[in-house]
């Protein structure tokens, strides 16, 4: 439409120019037959025509300039519209391609899935009469894929384990579990020992408890009632078996085995010297009875006098 309007304006301008030229020619032809007054009039008319022609020329130039500007503006807008149209076409093309790709991929995936299902008859649920097979086909085989029901597990499911219990359950072995519980053997608790079991069966008396609580050896000897003899050198006392006694031996009862090689033996007047076990028949003894020295032998449980020596 814009182009048609520009073309119409150009045709009108051309018609106006042609009419002006024809009119000027007519004036020039008739000037030779006119009077001076008429010639002057014709000259004024020509000047007016020239002025009009100049105005027409200016209008034409303005029209050309405006039409050029308008054409440029139209072309610019048309280019922008064309560019946006091209971009929209590109977006539409890309969208169409994406949709086609998705459709193709969906068809491919569904075909592959169908082929997989068709090829994996062991995953079919057609054999629903066999419950175990159906579970296996579904991937929920009891004892393989899922846990069999157990009332204890239901109980555990109702318990929310603390952080400590979770750590305990995550112990790598028994030793780690004991350490987590603060029961490390040899560190937190005593290792088993049969002797300890024996001691555990004994209830110590107050004296034994005092002895075991002795701060040192001296206190322990004191608690045991041991005098200074307990710490004397072996040269200061007579061994129970063997050895030589020097000096006197004082006491109410003394039993010797071996030989007394030297020195005196002193006893009270009511005491006796026994040669053997006093409670066994056949044992002899020597004792003082008044002023007499009596030799007796044990027979049938009684002492029988064998010899009595008078002063």
């Amino acid at each position: 439409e814009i182009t048609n309007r520009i073309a119409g304006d150009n045709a009108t301008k051309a018609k106006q120019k042609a009419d002006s030229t024809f009119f000027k020619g007519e004036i020039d032809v008739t000037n030779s037959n006119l009077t001076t007054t008429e010639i002057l009039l014709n000259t004024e008319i020509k000047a007016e025509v020239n002025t009009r022609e100049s105005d027409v020329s200016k209008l034409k130039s303005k029209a050309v300039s405006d039409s050029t500007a308008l054409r440029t503006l139209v072309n610019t807008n048309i280019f922008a519209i064309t560019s946006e149209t091209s971009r929209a076409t590109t977006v539409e093309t890309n969208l169409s391609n994406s949709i086609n790709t998705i459709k193709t991929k969906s068809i491919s995936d569904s075909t592959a899935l169908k082929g997989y299902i068709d090829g994996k008859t062991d995953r079919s649920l057609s054999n629903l009469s066999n419950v175990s097979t159906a579970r296996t086909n579904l991937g929920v085989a009891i004892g393989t894929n899922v846990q069999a029901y157990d009332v204890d597990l239901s109980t555990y499911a109702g318990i929310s384990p603390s952080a400590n219990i979770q750590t305990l359950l995550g112990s790598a072995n028994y030793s780690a579990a004991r350490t987590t519980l603060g029961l490390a053997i040899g560190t937190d608790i005593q290792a088993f020992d049969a002797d300890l079991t024996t001691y555990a069966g004994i209830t110590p008396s107050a004296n034994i408890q005092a002895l075991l609580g002795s701060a040192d050896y001296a206190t322990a000897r004191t608690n045991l009632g041991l005098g200074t003899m307990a710490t004397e050198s072996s040269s200061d006392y007579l061994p129970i078996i063997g050895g030589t006694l020097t000096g006197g031996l004082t006491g109410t009862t003394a039993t010797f085995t071996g030989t007394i090689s030297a020195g005196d033996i002193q006893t009270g007047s009511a005491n006796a010297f026994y040669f053997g076990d006093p409670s066994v028949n056949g044992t002899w003894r020597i004792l003082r009875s008044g002023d007499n020295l009596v030799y007796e032998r044990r027979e049938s449980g009684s002492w029988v006098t064998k010899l009595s020596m008078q002063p």
Side-chain angles (χ1 to χ4, degrees):
E1 182 182 352
I2 294 172
T3 303
N4 291 335
R5 289 181 61 185
I6 292 173
D9 291 341
N10 289 336
T12 302
K13 293 171 184 177
K15 179 67 167 58
Q16 291 174 346
K17 183 177 181 180
D19 291 343
S20 174
T21 302
F22 174 78
F23 185 65
K24 287 171 63 179
E26 287 296 319
I27 293 173
D28 290 338
V29 170
T30 56
N31 275 342
S32 58
N33 300 318
L34 297 175
T35 63
T36 301
T37 300
E38 290 173 339
I39 290 172
L40 290 175
L41 181 58
N42 286 338
T43 299
E44 291 177 1
I45 291 173
K46 183 183 286 187
E48 182 65 24
V49 169
N50 288 335
T51 299
R52 296 294 182 182
E53 186 179 26
S54 175
D55 290 340
V56 169
S57 179
K58 290 178 181 180
L59 290 172
K60 178 182 177 183
S61 296
K62 183 65 169 60
V64 170
S65 175
D66 290 344
S67 64
T68 300
L70 180 59
R71 184 181 294 108
T72 300
L73 178 60
V74 169
N75 289 337
T76 299
N77 290 332
I78 289 175
F79 176 78
I81 293 172
T82 301
S83 177
E84 292 300 324
T85 302
S86 176
R87 185 178 303 174
T89 301
T90 301
V91 171
E92 182 180 4
T93 300
N94 292 338
L95 181 59
S96 177
N97 291 339
S98 298
I99 293 174
N100 289 335
T101 300
I102 294 173
K103 288 169 62 178
T104 301
K105 185 67 170 59
S106 298
I107 293 172
S108 175
D109 290 346
S110 62
T111 301
L113 179 61
K114 182 177 184 302
Y116 177 78
I117 294 173
D118 292 342
K120 297 291 183 179
T121 57
D122 59 329
R123 296 181 183 273
S124 173
L125 296 180
S126 59
N127 189 14
L128 289 178
S129 60
N130 188 321
V131 177
S132 177
T133 301
R135 286 196 297 264
T136 300
N137 291 345
L138 286 170
V140 290
I142 298 175
T144 301
N145 306 114
V146 296
Q147 182 67 45
Y149 173 79
D150 189 282
V151 66
D152 293 331
L153 294 179
S154 295
T155 300
Y156 296 145
I159 300 173
S160 296
S162 65
N164 288 345
I165 295 300
Q166 292 181 48
T167 300
L168 175 62
L169 295 178
S171 300
N173 48 47
Y174 295 139
S175 177
R178 288 192 298 269
T179 299
T180 298
L181 289 170
L183 299 174
I185 297 175
T187 301
D188 303 305
I189 58 177
Q190 182 67 46
F192 173 80
D193 189 283
D195 294 332
L196 294 178
T197 301
T198 300
Y199 297 146
I202 300 174
T203 301
S205 65
N207 289 344
I208 294 300
Q209 293 181 49
L211 176 62
L212 295 177
S214 300
D216 50 37
Y217 296 140
T219 305
R221 287 193 298 269
T222 300
N223 288 333
L224 288 170
L226 299 176
T228 57
M229 188 63 180
T231 60
E232 293 295 330
S233 172
S234 61
S235 60
D236 296 333
Y237 58 86
L238 180 66
I240 295 176
I241 299 177
T244 301
L245 178 63
T246 59
L249 178 63
T250 302
T252 57
T253 301
T255 301
F256 297 95
T257 60
T259 302
I260 299 176
S261 59
D264 298 329
I265 300 176
Q266 180 180 349
T267 184
S269 59
N271 297 323
F273 290 96
Y274 291 88
F275 300 91
D277 188 343
S279 63
V280 177
N281 291 330
T283 297
W284 285 84
R285 72 179 181 178
I286 300 174
L287 72 158
R288 181 179 177 179
S289 177
D291 289 335
N292 297 335
L293 183 62
V294 181
Y295 289 81
E296 295 179 345
R297 184 174 184 271
R298 186 176 180 84
E299 297 176 354
S300 300
S302 300
W303 292 100
V304 180
T305 299
K306 299 298 183 178
L307 176 64
S308 179
M309 298 176 65
Q310 298 177 351

